[in-house]
């Protein structure tokens, strides 16, 4: 079946511009997550959605970052007034929380969007 | 608080020899632990996970990991490395909050396989 998809796969932008990154989770997955991976580093958590609410936004690095989710479907991560330090791969994941103990669900990752801010 | 430490940033092995990737965790309760693999220009893929059932967990592609509570370790092993195993591997612990299991990723171990 279809996995998590993200678009665009690559985005090059100029410093100060706004960008929107899109994530399509696996159909039926209640939970959706955004992460950032800087070059040579592990994943940095950004935000978690359960349905269309975001119980945990603690990883968003600044108020330039925001995210929305429509129902249990598409999510958009928006970065306003991009800075060079925003350059990274942005990864989206989704999981089904149904019938599993808290914290044991498997997150399925998309291929990521590589953002380059010039 | 929960955390995970991958003890080697790079591991180089010869094809056909065993692979050992070391991971230690810190948790105030019995955690869920995962290993993910990331091949170049590809998404993260789950190799295996431990969720308080059997302490020896078998995953895909011949990998397995053993949960050792006394040593707070979850090392990943494979008896015989294949060229296709060259990738970055992440040890991950699930840290329970009030409402969800937040994944905390280790810094990663880059595996190089030589012929």
């Amino acid at each position: 079946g279809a996995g998590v998809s993200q678009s665009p796969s690559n985005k090059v932008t100029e410093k100060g511009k706004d960008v929107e990154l899109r994530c399509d989770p696996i159909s039926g997955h209640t939970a959706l997550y955004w992460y950032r991976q800087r070059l040579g580093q592990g994943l940095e958590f950004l935000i978690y959605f359960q349905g269309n609410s975001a119980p945990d936004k603690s990883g968003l690095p600044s108020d330039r970052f925001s995210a929305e989710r429509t129902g249990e479907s598409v999510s958009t991560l928006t970065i306003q007034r991009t800075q060079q330090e925003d350059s990274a791969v942005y990864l989206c994941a989704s999981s089904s929380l149904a019938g599993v103990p808290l914290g044991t669900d498997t997150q399925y990752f998309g291929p990521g969007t590589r953002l380059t801010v010039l | 608080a929960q955390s995970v430490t991958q003890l080697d940033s790079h591991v180089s092995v010869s094809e056909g020899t065993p692979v050992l990737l070391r991971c230690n965790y810190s948790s105030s309760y019995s955690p869920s632990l995962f290993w993910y693999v990331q091949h170049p220009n590809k998404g993260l893929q789950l190799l295996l996970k431990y969720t308080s059932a059997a302490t020896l967990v078998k995953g895909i592609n011949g990998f397995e990991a053993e949960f050792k509570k006394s040593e707070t370790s979850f090392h990943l092993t494979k008896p015989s490395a294949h060229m296709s195993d060259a990738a970055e591997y992440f040890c991950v612990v699930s840290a329970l909050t009030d409402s969800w299991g937040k994944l905390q990723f280790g810094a990663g171990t880059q595996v190089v396989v030589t012929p």
Side-chain angles (χ1 to χ4, degrees):
Chain A
V4 177
S5 60
Q6 293 185 246
S7 60
S9 55
N10 280 283
K11 177 71 176 179
V12 180
T13 191
E14 294 179 348
K15 178 181 172 181
K17 300 280 189 183
D18 297 352
V19 296
E20 278 191 357
L21 312 180
R22 177 187 168 110
C23 172
D24 284 89
I26 293 172
S27 177
H29 277 191
T30 319
L32 185 146
Y33 316 81
W34 283 98
Y35 296 88
R36 178 168 70 178
Q37 186 177 26
R38 290 193 167 118
L39 187 63
Q41 297 185 21
L43 269 69
E44 177 187 4
F45 164 77
L46 297 178
I47 187 169
Y48 157 61
F49 284 95
Q50 186 167 357
N52 61 5
S53 66
D56 193 336
K57 307 178 185 178
S58 61
L60 294 177
S62 75
D63 59 7
R64 296 186 295 105
F65 287 71
S66 63
E68 291 183 342
R69 187 179 185 196
T70 307
E72 293 188 354
S73 184
V74 172
S75 176
T76 303
L77 177 69
T78 301
I79 309 173
Q80 295 178 308
R81 305 182 303 281
T82 51
Q83 303 295 312
Q84 288 184 333
E85 63 262 27
D86 299 335
S87 296
V89 176
Y90 289 82
L91 292 163
C92 174
S94 70
S95 71
S96 171
L97 303 178
V100 296
L102 194 65
T104 66
D105 55 303
T106 297
Q107 293 185 21
Y108 296 87
F109 284 82
T113 293
R114 183 175 299 277
L115 175 65
T116 303
V117 182
L118 302 176
Chain B
Q2 288 72 42
S3 66
V4 62
T5 303
Q6 292 183 244
L7 301 173
D8 308 289
S9 60
H10 289 82
V11 167
S12 183
V13 297
S14 299
E15 189 177 19
T17 65
V19 181
L20 169 64
L21 305 184
R22 298 181 295 166
C23 173
N24 284 104
Y25 69 91
S26 170
S27 178
S28 55
Y29 53 85
S30 185
S32 294
L33 292 156
F34 308 76
W35 276 98
Y36 278 86
V37 61
Q38 188 176 36
H39 287 93
N41 300 316
K42 291 192 177 180
L44 283 153
Q45 182 183 19
L46 179 70
L47 276 178
L48 50 81
K49 69 177 180 180
Y50 166 76
T51 58
S52 77
T55 55
L56 182 62
V57 183
K58 293 188 184 297
I60 61 171
N61 301 336
F63 285 93
E64 63 181 37
E66 187 171 8
F67 174 74
K68 291 187 176 180
K69 186 174 180 179
S70 61
E71 299 177 9
T72 62
S73 70
F74 190 57
H75 301 334
L76 182 71
T77 60
K78 182 173 180 177
S80 176
H82 191 271
M83 296 298 291
S84 61
D85 294 328
E88 186 146 27
Y89 293 78
F90 294 96
C91 183
V92 185
V93 64
S94 178
L96 290 183
T97 67
D98 290 340
S99 60
W100 70 295
K102 183 174 182 177
L103 296 189
Q104 293 186 318
F105 283 74
T109 298
Q110 186 71 45
V111 171
V112 174
V113 183
T114 56

